[in-house]
């Protein structure tokens, strides 16, 4: 039998090196085993990149940038190369999705549709930017004849540090945005799910990007990641991951004021009014927290339900949740895969225990299936309040805390939703136009999604407060890899 997963396994087993200056190089250090979190079986190994490997990769990116081979290539040619990369990813999407499933654990159907599907959309979206990254002409007020205008110059070498929760989509988003801006890149995949990033490197080579424009160094965050952040040949760091690591990276970048974008954690609110379309809201609220087993920065982990519909809503939510099949992502019909690792599973189970001790009431889940794999059943707590740790802290697992609201003023409701150190996303379900717009205005989060959600690469994405700094997607996401230059020409 040679299923798509066997092919993915063979592919993953073949990697053990860095992609530097257009070629594969063996690492100079140890190797790190890589596991399938559903079976706990080893699927391969990666090179444990060290400061030497990082130095080679940054130098390759530096030379490729300084040679201007990429940034001065005609915009139409850069667009064409990005579109070719998207076509190659699309042609290989079944296998890439299978790699993502055996490495990260996400159900195959989801990795096909969401992970690889949104990666292709991101690359195609960014492919349009080289030809559209225009500055402005500016009316001048100083005496004389002047032509004033701005340009968006590429920042240089961009270090892209990616987490394990949606590795391929995040990788492709960052790589294509940086390339569209004219930067060259060094990618550091997450050690817990690195394989799809290595597959991307092969497709970059096949697409025909000049050598050194895209480099990939694998390894631990504390070693390869830290060396990349410390390297003075790096001009820009774009990081997605935990708030703690984001803060450490920002502190390390102060010395030479390196440019940093941070896409961090969240504790996003879902708000359901009595007038909401419950047939749509119930599955969306459930998948908004349980999708990817809760390992989503924008997960709707705090739910506020109007008390008039609370019983009906909760009954529907619990029934929907109990039908979600938890199991290996390689099996058909599975809705929720495992968490990424043993420590992540233990951390989530610890929060569930904390919730019980804090006095919250379990109405679904709360346990983990027995046997191999880092699974946790989707869990719903009611009788929660904002002093509880499970309501305040990012759990990054399939755990929902439910609260109610009555006819509070919109200001009070917004204040409750905003009561968090984070501010990444918010979800509102209502058919009342006033409530929808009033909350869109008052919620302190980078995104507000009303009556649905979805990955829209034309809309900026990012966080208020400790959810991050800067925005990805849209014009903002490409401009984040540039410096704005002002030019005034006397004539
Ligand atoms: P992490 O944020 O430490 O790792 C993300 C990436 O950063 C990985 O590629 C890692 O190798 C790299 N990294 C780690 N330390 C680094 C350093 N000092 N310098 C440069 N790069 C570094 O996340 P980790 O340790 O895998 O998970 C810890 C917790 O963070 C999880 O339990 C989860 O709760 C949360 N998390 C949140 C994410 C989000 O998107 N909000 C994504 C991943 C994790
Ligand atoms: Mg893995």
């Amino acid at each position: 039998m040679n299923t798509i997963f066997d092919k993915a396994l063979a592919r993953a087993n073949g990697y053990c090196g860095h992609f530097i200056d257009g070629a594969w190089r063996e690492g100079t250090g140890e190797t790190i085993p890589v596991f399938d979190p559903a079976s706990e079986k080893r699927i391969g190994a990666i090179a444990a990149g060290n400061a030497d490997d990082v130095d080679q990769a940054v130098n390759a990116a530096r030379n490729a940038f300084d040679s201007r081979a990429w940034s001065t290539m005609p915009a139409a040619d850069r667009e064409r190369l990005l579109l070719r990369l998207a076509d190659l990813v699309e042609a290989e999407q079944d296998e890439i999705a299978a790699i993502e499933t055996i490495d990260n654990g996400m159900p195959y159907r989801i990795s096909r549709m969401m992970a690889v599907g949104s990666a292709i959309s991101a690359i195609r979206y960014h492919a349009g930017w080289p030809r559209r990254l225009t500055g402005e002409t500016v009316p001048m007020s100083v005496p004389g004849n002047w032509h004033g205008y701005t340009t968006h110059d590429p920042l240089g070498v961009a270090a892209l540090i990616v987490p394990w929760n949606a590795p391929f989509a995040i990788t492709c988003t960052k790589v294509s945005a940086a390339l569209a801006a004219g930067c060259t890149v060094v990618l550091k995949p997450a050690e817990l799910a690195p394989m799809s990033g290595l597959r991307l490197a092969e497709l970059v080579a096949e697409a025909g990007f000049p050598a050194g424009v895209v480099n990939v160094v694998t390894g631990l965050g504390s070693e390869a990641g830290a060396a990349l952040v410390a390297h003075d040949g790096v001009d820009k760091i774009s990081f997605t991951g935990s708030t703690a690591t984001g803060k450490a990276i920002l502190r390390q970048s102060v010395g030479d004021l390196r440019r940093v974008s941070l896409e961090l954690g969240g504790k996003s609110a879902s708000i359901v009014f009595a007038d909401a379309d419950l047939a749509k809201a119930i599955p969306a609220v459930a998948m908004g927290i349980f999708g990817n087993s809760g390992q989503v920065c924008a997960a709707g982990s705090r739910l506020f339900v109007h008390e008039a519909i609370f019983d009906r809503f909760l009954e529907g939510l619990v029934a929907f949740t109990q039908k979600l099949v938890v199991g290996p992502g390689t099996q058909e019909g599975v809705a929720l895969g495992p968490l990424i690792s043993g420590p992540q599973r233990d951390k989530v189970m610890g929060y569930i225990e904390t919730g019980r001790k804090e006095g919250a009431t379990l109405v679904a889940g709360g346990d983990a299936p027995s046997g191999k794999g880092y699974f946790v059943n989707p869990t719903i707590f009611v009788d929660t309040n904002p002093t509880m740790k499970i309501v305040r802290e990012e759990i990054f697992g399939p755990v929902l805390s439910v609260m109610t609201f009555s006819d509070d003023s919109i200001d009070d409701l917004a204040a409750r939703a905003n009561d968090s150190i984070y501010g990444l996303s918010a979800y509102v379900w209502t058919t009342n136009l006033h409530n929808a717009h009033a909350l869109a205005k008052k919620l302190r989060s980078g995104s507000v999604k009303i009556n649905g959600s979805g990955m829209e690469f034309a809309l900026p994405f990012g966080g208020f407060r400790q959810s991050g700094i800067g925005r990805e997607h849209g014009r903002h996401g490409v401009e984040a890899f540039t410096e704005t230059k002002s030019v005034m020409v006397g004539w």
Side-chain angles (χ1 to χ4, degrees), residues 161-165 188-192 219-222 225-226 229 239-242 245 249 264-265 297 344 347 394-396:
I161 302 178
V162 175
W164 40 258
N165 60 323
K188 213 295 283 168
E191 56 272 38
L192 290 171
L220 297 175
S222 55
V229 172
F239 169 80
T240 299
S242 65
T245 299
I249 288 174
L264 309 176
C297 51
Q344 188 65 20
K347 177 178 162 188
E394 180 180 55
I395 297 175
F396 225 61

Side-chain angles (χ1 to χ4, degrees), residues 34-37 43 102-104 191-194 340:
V34 177
F35 296 95
D36 173 352
I43 59 165
I102 61 169
D103 195 358
N104 158 285
E191 56 272 38
L192 290 171
I340 193 72

Side-chain angles (χ1 to χ4, degrees), residues 334-349:
V334 162
L336 308 180
L339 301 190
I340 193 72
S341 66
Q344 188 65 20
R345 193 247 327 259
D346 296 347
K347 177 178 162 188
V348 172
M349 292 309 291

Side-chain angles (χ1 to χ4, degrees), residues 79 125-134 180-181 474-476 478:
E79 175 185 61
Y125 173 73
H126 286 131
W129 275 105
R131 298 219 269 176
R132 288 168 185 79
L133 195 57
T134 52
R475 172 181 279 274
H476 297 262
V478 179

